[in-house]
Amino acid sequence: MNLILLGPPGSGKGTQAKKIVERYHIPQISTGDILRAAVKEQTPLGKEAKAYMDQGKLVPDEVVIGIVRDRLKAADCKNGFILDGFPRTVPQAEALAATLQTMNRTIDYVVSIDVNNEELLKRLTGRRTCRGCGAMYHLIFDPPRKEGVCDRCGGELYQRDDDKEETIKERLRVYDAQTAPLIAYYRDKGSLRTIDGVGAMEQIFQAIVKVVEG
Ligand code: AP5
Ligand code: MG
């Protein structure tokens, strides 16, 4: 099963991808997570990406396309994958299609997660992530048992650098200008399935299960 999760910042792509990994045992490929890891390690990729990410802008297409192309060739993708946060522009979508074609594969579904901007802002300002295991929390909607500490591994919870109100607003603008056109792009290809992304996390997951299992 080859899936794309499409949606604005804070729509729950990462949250839902983790649930899909657990149920279907296919890997989550999050370009945001890969880039943040590179920033942390201060690799050449990380140094290039950081300035874009801190401003809420997209990292150049050729950079992320290269990352995904390599990642899709890894052995763990042989039974499928979940793309989270990629593609984000029409050129990225076209490069993905070309890469998959050389591998004799196609995208089964593009799940577009629909959430209004007011809710997105609340979700992103309250998000906290574990430095150790990457588990995600929300100060109000999904708080950890002990403030600042991960329930699962005891790691420290941190706030992402780009989750400041001004940067969030820029990310939402960038989404509308550069990523939202992919909704029409995939609708035309017949692979788009839109789900309501407001509600309980489990309820939204069930809507995704319904898309893939019918
Ligand atoms: P990326 O890491 O992909 O960030 P994003 O798209 O802005 O999305 P987020 O990760 O912020 O949100 P999400 O949809 O995963 O929501 P989450 O599940 O965490 O990209 C970051 C940057 O990297 C980009 O700005 C760009 O610079 C660069 N980049 C990455 N990919 C790129 C690409 N392809 N091309 C170019 N540049 C790229 O949920 C958010 C919060 O809400 C959490 O706290 C969660 O607990 C909570 N929550 C989730 N679901 C619910 C619910 N149903 N109810 C209540 N709360 C909920
Ligand atoms: Mg995410």
Side-chain angles (χ1 to χ4, degrees):
M1 178 170 74
N2 306 332
L3 277 186
I4 294 175
L5 295 182
L6 181 65
S11 56
K13 301 182 296 295
T15 302
Q16 297 300 330
K18 288 186 168 61
K19 289 175 170 287
I20 301 170
V21 170
E22 265 175 42
R23 181 168 176 125
Y24 299 103
H25 310 288
I26 53 175
Q28 170 192 14
I29 303 177
S30 160
T31 41
D33 287 350
I34 294 169
L35 292 167
R36 275 184 293 281
V39 169
K40 190 174 161 201
E41 298 296 322
Q42 299 187 337
T43 64
L45 166 66
K47 285 179 186 158
E48 182 183 356
K50 187 175 182 340
Y52 296 101
M53 297 171 80
D54 284 350
Q55 289 175 53
K57 310 267 191 227
L58 295 183
V59 173
D61 284 340
E62 59 274 19
V63 175
V64 283
I65 288 168
I67 293 173
V68 173
R69 205 176 268 151
D70 290 345
R71 183 64 187 84
L72 287 173
K73 290 181 188 143
D76 65 340
C77 293
K78 74 175 193 310
N79 294 324
F81 52 81
I82 309 149
L83 284 168
D84 157 8
F86 181 96
R88 260 176 150 91
T89 63
V90 171
Q92 289 181 21
E94 286 171 345
L96 173 66
T99 299
L100 291 176
Q101 198 175 14
T102 66
M103 302 168 81
N104 280 321
R105 304 179 74 168
T106 50
I107 292 295
D108 297 309
Y109 300 108
V110 178
V111 179
S112 168
I113 311 177
D114 194 25
V115 178
N116 63 70
N117 276 16
E118 194 188 331
E119 171 81 10
L120 295 173
L121 198 61
K122 279 191 226 160
R123 288 189 187 179
L124 292 172
T125 47
R127 172 168 54 191
R128 296 295 182 271
T129 310
C130 176
R131 273 195 209 285
C133 70
M136 233 139 30
Y137 297 88
H138 189 282
L139 294 181
I140 296 158
F141 305 137
D142 186 17
R145 284 194 290 272
K146 188 171 173 219
E147 198 189 317
V149 180
C150 179
D151 293 349
R152 283 172 43 188
C153 77
E156 181 204 353
L157 303 185
Y158 79 103
Q159 182 170 27
R160 258 168 59 175
D161 287 343
D162 60 349
D163 280 347
K164 298 185 187 77
E165 190 158 338
E166 268 324 294
T167 318
I168 292 170
K169 287 188 173 154
E170 180 59 19
R171 286 160 59 205
L172 295 175
R173 274 193 291 272
V174 166
Y175 175 82
D176 286 338
Q178 294 181 265
T179 308
L182 291 179
I183 294 174
Y185 175 94
Y186 284 117
R187 185 180 293 127
D188 287 349
K189 302 225 175 291
S191 46
L192 189 80
R193 303 289 184 276
T194 302
I195 61 167
D196 181 0
V198 182
M201 295 175 200
E202 184 56 31
Q203 182 189 326
I204 294 158
F205 179 59
Q206 288 311 320
I208 297 175
V209 170
K210 206 168 155 203
V211 165
V212 301
E213 294 182 11

